[in-house]
Amino acid sequence: MKISSTARLRIATIALTTVLAAGIGSYAALHTHSRDIKLIDQGISEAIRAASDNPQQELSAALFYLDQYSLDLSLHLLSRDNELTTINSASNDRLEVINISEARGALASIVQDNLGRNYRLKALEISGGDFLIISASTLSADESLKSNFKSAAVATVAANLLAFIFLTFYIGLIKRRDEQDALARMQEFLGDASHELRTPLTVVKGYVEMLSKSMFTEEKDKARAFERVNTEILRMESLIRDLLLLAELGESASRDYELFDISELIQAHVDDFSLLNPERQVTSEIQNDIEIEAARDFISRFMQNGLNNISRHTPKDAPVKIKLQQEGKKVALSIEDGGPGLPESAYREKVQSLHRFDKSRSRENGGSGLGLSIMAAVISRLGGDFNLQKSSLGGLAITAELPLKQ
């Protein structure tokens, strides 16, 4: 099941918002917790230092330091008989049991309780083999960490909700703009299509009216009239077919693409064109085994229109060159001819729907005259770039760049 571009945008935005909000919130929570623990450790270390700086009066010095700086720390005395006496009790400190082994382990540095009692402590051995212990509960800091994580989660949900609302509003604006653009294109398309069909319909109507009123008495005049009507009908068929294709290419609905060998497809068109045009010198530079994700029928129509334009609008012996090569993540395709080319201004114009660079070409050589418009629409639909240039052969060079993956 394919995910629409709108859904992908929503998922990507929510994922990015989640990562940023959760990352920033988690970092802030951990940083705050680390700072709280650092402040606890600093107080414990300073109290132990004050006691060690006063031999024979360690308890008094430590107690005086705690009282002087109003530190929320506990002061304990652990005898060599493993009797624990609490001299100063801090809030939330539940240090009730500690043995000599644990006290010795806390002589060198501050240790974290590993029995789930949520405190940090440091010990100092004093005269007589007893231990002075300074401890502090980390319960408040741990609860603050949990609360901050919850706040980060709430902030993440809120950020995602805001991002979703904003994105929905933004997508709505884009859709409305696209709908307005589509409506404008449709109105322009209908206007241009009716204009293009008016001329052949007028011709057919005129000849049919003259034939119905028996205004032609000579058989050769009747035959000429029928031939003219038939020619205009064929032109209308070609025009309608091309108009329908342009309408399909202009639709915004998604289309299933397939992975296929574009080298093989282009080579087949070159071989067919060479067979049908033996008078021409047809050269090709086609890189083998280039696979592209696209609509095969669109690429075929692109090649058909390009080669048909050459057949109609260039001398029968005009040289032709087709080139296909991969350039990074794109494929470059060019069709060049040695014909008369286009008017000078055409190379500076953007190819648009129903645009004809030389309106006489379709009338003189058949066809709808919309070949280049169709080719440009095909490349645009496939997400590529389409350009018209002067060919080194003297005529027109049609170049297209297409992405290998859609």
Side-chain angles (χ1 to χ4, degrees):
M1 181 180 66
K2 286 191 174 182
I3 302 176
S4 66
S5 58
T6 301
R8 287 198 298 268
L9 179 60
R10 282 197 173 99
I11 292 172
T13 302
I14 296 301
L16 180 61
T17 304
T18 300
V19 170
L20 289 177
I24 294 173
S26 298
Y27 173 79
L30 291 172
H31 179 74
T32 300
H33 184 262
S34 176
R35 183 197 61 191
D36 293 342
I37 297 299
K38 187 176 180 180
L39 288 174
I40 292 174
D41 289 352
Q42 183 179 350
I44 293 174
S45 297
E46 293 295 333
I48 291 293
R49 185 178 296 109
S52 63
D53 288 344
N54 292 274
Q56 306 302 322
Q57 299 181 2
E58 294 93 342
L59 286 175
S60 300
L63 188 60
F64 176 77
Y65 184 85
L66 296 181
D67 183 64
Q68 181 182 12
Y69 292 100
S70 301
L71 297 179
D72 191 25
L73 302 175
S74 294
L75 174 62
H76 311 276
L77 180 64
L78 179 66
S79 69
R80 51 190 171 181
D81 297 327
N82 277 327
E83 288 186 11
L84 183 68
T85 303
T86 300
I87 299 173
N88 183 72
S89 180
S91 61
N92 296 322
D93 190 350
R94 297 293 182 267
L95 182 62
E96 297 176 352
V97 179
I98 187 170
N99 55 44
I100 296 293
S101 176
E102 289 178 311
R104 290 187 185 282
L107 288 173
S109 61
I110 297 175
V111 297
Q112 173 73 38
D113 169 49
N114 58 2
L115 298 178
R117 289 175 287 187
N118 300 98
Y119 63 78
R120 294 178 69 79
L121 63 88
K122 195 173 190 302
L124 174 67
E125 189 171 4
I126 59 178
S127 59
D130 295 334
F131 291 89
L132 182 149
I133 298 173
I134 304 290
S135 68
S137 172
T138 62
L139 184 61
S140 178
D142 294 340
E143 291 295 333
S144 178
L145 178 63
K146 293 178 182 178
S147 176
N148 289 337
F149 273 133
K150 290 179 180 178
S151 298
V154 172
T156 300
V157 173
N160 284 337
L161 181 60
L162 289 175
F164 181 81
I165 293 173
F166 172 78
L167 194 60
T168 301
F169 177 74
Y170 175 75
I171 291 174
L173 286 178
I174 296 298
K175 283 186 175 180
R176 283 193 292 272
R177 186 192 66 184
D178 291 343
E179 288 172 357
Q180 292 173 352
D181 291 343
L183 179 60
R185 287 196 302 269
M186 179 58 69
Q187 291 173 341
E188 180 184 3
F189 179 85
L190 292 175
D192 290 340
S194 62
H195 174 75
E196 294 295 336
L197 288 169
R198 189 175 297 119
T199 299
L201 281 173
T202 301
V203 174
V204 171
K205 181 180 178 181
Y207 275 106
V208 169
E209 185 176 347
M210 287 188 287
L211 287 169
S212 65
K213 293 181 180 180
S214 302
M215 297 178 66
F216 296 111
T217 56
E218 299 290 334
E219 288 298 325
K220 62 179 182 179
D221 293 333
K222 292 181 181 180
R224 188 182 302 111
F226 280 118
E227 182 181 356
R228 190 78 173 87
V229 169
N230 185 61
T231 299
E232 293 302 323
I233 289 174
L234 293 175
R235 178 169 291 123
M236 279 194 294
E237 287 181 348
S238 176
L239 180 58
I240 291 171
R241 186 170 55 251
D242 288 345
L243 288 174
L244 290 174
L245 179 58
L246 280 172
E248 179 186 354
L249 291 169
E251 290 177 353
S252 59
S254 60
R255 182 186 177 96
D256 292 333
Y257 295 134
E258 61 178 312
L259 188 65
F260 65 93
D261 189 338
I262 191 174
S263 302
E264 181 181 344
L265 180 64
I266 301 300
Q267 186 63 61
H269 281 281
V270 172
D271 293 342
D272 292 342
F273 183 77
S274 299
L275 184 65
L276 297 173
N277 296 268
E279 303 90 350
R280 296 181 185 272
Q281 179 185 355
V282 180
T283 59
S284 61
E285 298 177 11
I286 298 177
Q287 182 179 336
N288 293 326
D289 303 324
I290 301 178
E291 289 194 336
I292 187 173
E293 186 180 6
R296 182 189 293 267
D297 56 333
F298 281 177
I299 300 296
S300 291
R301 190 58 187 267
F302 178 87
M303 290 300 299
Q304 290 169 6
N305 278 47
L307 297 176
N308 286 343
N309 279 344
I310 293 175
S311 297
R312 290 192 181 109
H313 307 305
T314 66
K316 292 184 177 181
D317 58 350
V320 176
K321 181 179 180 181
I322 295 99
K323 185 176 181 181
L324 177 74
Q325 63 181 11
Q326 183 175 339
E327 297 177 352
K329 295 183 179 180
K330 294 184 177 182
V331 58
L333 173 62
S334 64
I335 303 174
E336 301 184 48
D337 65 66
L342 294 174
E344 190 67 28
S345 61
Y347 299 105
R348 299 187 296 271
E349 296 179 20
K350 181 180 179 180
V351 183
Q352 298 177 342
S353 176
L354 301 180
H355 183 74
R356 285 173 170 167
F357 295 99
D358 187 349
K359 298 184 185 300
S360 66
R361 297 178 80 182
S362 62
R363 295 183 179 90
E364 294 173 354
N365 303 286
S368 66
L370 300 176
L372 292 177
S373 293
I374 292 174
M375 295 175 74
V378 165
I379 300 304
S380 176
R381 179 65 184 272
L382 296 176
D385 296 319
F386 179 85
N387 290 289
L388 302 177
Q389 302 171 358
K390 290 184 178 180
S391 169
S392 58
L393 301 178
L396 173 65
I398 300 171
T399 64
E401 281 190 350
L402 289 168
L404 291 174
K405 300 287 185 180
Q406 293 295 325

